[in-house]
Structures are given as structure tokens and as C-alpha cells.
Amino acid sequence: MISDILPRILSELGLTVASPDISSNDTQMSQIRNLMTAAGKDICTRTQWEGCRATASIGNVSATSLPADFQEMAGTGTIDINSGGDAIYPVTDFSLWAFLTKNTPAQPYYHIAGGSVNFIPDVPAAGATMVYISRNWVSGKDEVTDNADVPVFDEDLLQRGTVWRWKREKGLACQDLMAEFEADLEAAIQADRGAN
């Protein structure tokens, strides 16, 4: 929880704030909030965190808008047809997609472009379920705004990522802190994947 992380960050930076509140518009808190958000967004994009995994239901359509919090497709990127039929496979090549739209295949495919997921042929009547990675890494959003916010990954990572960024911004030595952060991040990624 941010209310637990914030005092540790302030202590590590040698800053004294009575009753720290990350939502404060105080210059210092605003700066730390921005750096914390930058750290969180960076951490979120480094792997497919289990806590960022989300699903979207897709009806019998030829195209649908991507979820507002969409970052990337999860795992292999296939979309499961609800009836237990074939999976819908991704096509990333524009020329191949153009060919498929003129020569409808039996195997279903999808293509992401312009904020939409396009299907060929249409999604079957049973619908489908898309598993994706959300960019919302803290309490259902993608930025820190409140002391009650909770990151989906190890809180210590957010602390370390904020501290080295603050030091870098102030022109202070931060290389060792950045290296420690990267090592801890790699260990956390392995643990999230169940590799540790």
C-alpha cells in the first residue's frame, strides 16, 4: 500500500514530511507521485505480471474495441472460443491480414489495429474470451493517486524504482541503486512466473 511505501521513500531520501499524503499538491509530494507513477509504469511493462492479467468477453462480431486498459495480449496471444472450438490466432502482418479479408479462411484469425480487434471470420455465436495484460498496475488504474493504492507487484520494487529516479533527477549518484533495482526486478519477475 502506498501509505506503507511513502514513509520509507521519504526516509531513504532524507526528507521529513509530517503525515505524508501522496495525493497532496505540495511540490515535493507531486514530484514523488510523478516519479512513483513513472516507476510503476516501467515495472508494469517489463513482464506480464499475474496481477495485471484481465479478460474481456467478445460477442458474435467482426470487430470490437480494445478494452480501455489494454496493454498487450497475454501469453501466446490466442483468443479462446467459448464453445470449446478452435482458438482464434493473431495475425500481425498487414499484408497477410489484407489477403485474409479477401479470402476468408476456415481457421479464425484476429488482427489488432486502430484500437480495435478485427476478426475473420466473425466470432462464432458462442462468443470468445480474450485474455490480455492490463496497464492498470495499481488499484485498477495506471497511476498513483491515493495513499490507499496498492500495486500488483512487490511494493519494494516501487520504492526502489522511485528512489533512484528521484536521485537521478536531483543529479545525485544513482547507478548502484539502479543496478540493485534491476536485479530485484529480475528476481521479482522470476518469482511472479513461479520460477523461484
Side-chain angles (χ1 to χ4, degrees):
M1 188 177 296
I2 300 304
S3 61
D4 298 327
I5 303 168
L6 187 54
R8 297 193 310 252
I9 290 172
L10 294 170
S11 175
E12 197 168 343
L13 298 177
L15 303 173
T16 304
V17 177
S19 304
D21 181 1
I22 200 68
S23 66
S24 168
N25 287 327
D26 165 86
T27 303
Q28 193 165 253
M29 281 297 106
S30 180
Q31 182 181 45
I32 290 174
R33 181 175 61 247
N34 291 339
L35 293 169
M36 192 179 286
T37 293
K41 287 182 177 183
D42 174 41
I43 294 164
C44 182
T45 60
R46 297 290 194 97
T47 192
Q48 294 190 356
W49 298 100
E50 188 61 35
C52 289
R53 192 171 292 269
T55 59
S57 294
I58 301 167
N60 178 220
V61 294
S62 61
T64 188
S65 296
L66 286 169
D69 63 334
F70 179 86
Q71 178 168 287
E72 63 183 312
M73 292 298 292
T76 62
T78 59
I79 296 175
D80 294 326
I81 296 173
N82 292 339
S83 62
D86 291 333
I88 306 172
Y89 292 94
V91 172
T92 57
D93 182 87
F94 290 105
S95 58
L96 176 56
W97 183 253
F99 173 81
L100 291 173
T101 59
K102 292 181 177 73
N103 302 280
T104 304
Q107 166 63 51
Y109 292 99
Y110 75 89
H111 178 71
I112 296 176
S116 294
V117 187
N118 305 286
F119 300 93
I120 190 89
D122 290 2
V123 174
T129 301
M130 180 174 84
V131 181
Y132 68 98
I133 301 301
S134 169
R135 68 170 164 257
N136 292 343
W137 58 272
V138 59
S139 303
K141 54 194 173 187
D142 65 352
E143 63 181 338
V144 173
T145 59
D146 190 90
N147 278 1
D149 289 343
V150 180
V152 300
F153 41 73
D154 186 343
E155 293 178 352
D156 289 341
L157 286 177
L158 188 56
Q159 176 184 335
R160 289 185 189 97
T162 304
V163 167
W164 78 254
R165 281 173 172 78
W166 187 91
K167 292 197 175 214
R168 179 184 63 187
E169 192 164 294
K170 301 299 181 188
L172 302 172
C174 65
Q175 295 301 329
D176 289 347
L177 291 170
M178 190 187 316
E180 288 174 17
F181 165 78
E182 292 294 338
D184 290 343
L185 176 59
E186 185 56 36
I189 288 171
Q190 294 303 317
D192 192 68
R193 291 177 183 162
N196 284 356

